[in-house]
Amino acid sequence: MVVKCDAYCVAKNGPKWVKTRTVVDSFNPKWNKQHSWDVYDLYTVLTIRVFDYCLLRGGDAVGDGKDTSLRKVQIRLYTYSYPFFCVAT
């Protein structure tokens, strides 16, 4: 049996953060979301993490019940306004 990922993405910029919807049963999730934040600090870092949602269809938690972090990327922002596109291909 092949188990596919139930992926969602979280982006965080200081105290501000956004979460995409969960794409169920996919090895190739696509969110097609856009977010914009004002950036005032030259050393602002945008952190983007992709998670696998840990619940099975029956509602039973897998393992310790925490969502699995699949990937993390940190991007240093150098502009006043920076569009965030969360698109996985």
Side-chain angles (χ1 to χ4, degrees):
M1 179 175 127
V2 176
V3 177
K4 294 184 180 178
C5 181
D6 298 331
Y8 66 91
C9 184
V10 175
K12 186 173 187 292
N13 172 17
K16 301 175 187 175
W17 63 277
V18 293
K19 178 184 175 288
T20 65
R21 66 181 174 82
T22 300
V23 177
V24 179
D25 287 335
S26 177
F27 285 126
N28 190 18
K30 294 180 182 177
W31 293 283
N32 298 322
K33 297 285 287 183
Q34 178 179 336
H35 299 279
S36 295
W37 285 300
D38 291 334
V39 176
Y40 300 103
D41 182 0
L42 181 62
Y43 300 102
T44 297
V45 175
L46 175 66
T47 302
I48 303 169
R49 294 185 85 141
V50 178
F51 293 90
D52 183 12
Y53 188 64
C54 73
L55 296 181
L56 298 175
R57 298 304 157 261
D60 297 328
V62 176
D64 61 5
K66 294 182 180 178
D67 294 347
T68 303
S69 177
L70 302 175
R71 291 286 185 257
K72 175 183 174 183
V73 63
Q74 292 183 310
I75 303 167
R76 187 169 306 278
L77 308 178
Y78 295 106
T79 60
Y80 176 74
S81 182
Y82 189 88
F84 163 58
F85 298 94
C86 191
V87 179
T89 58

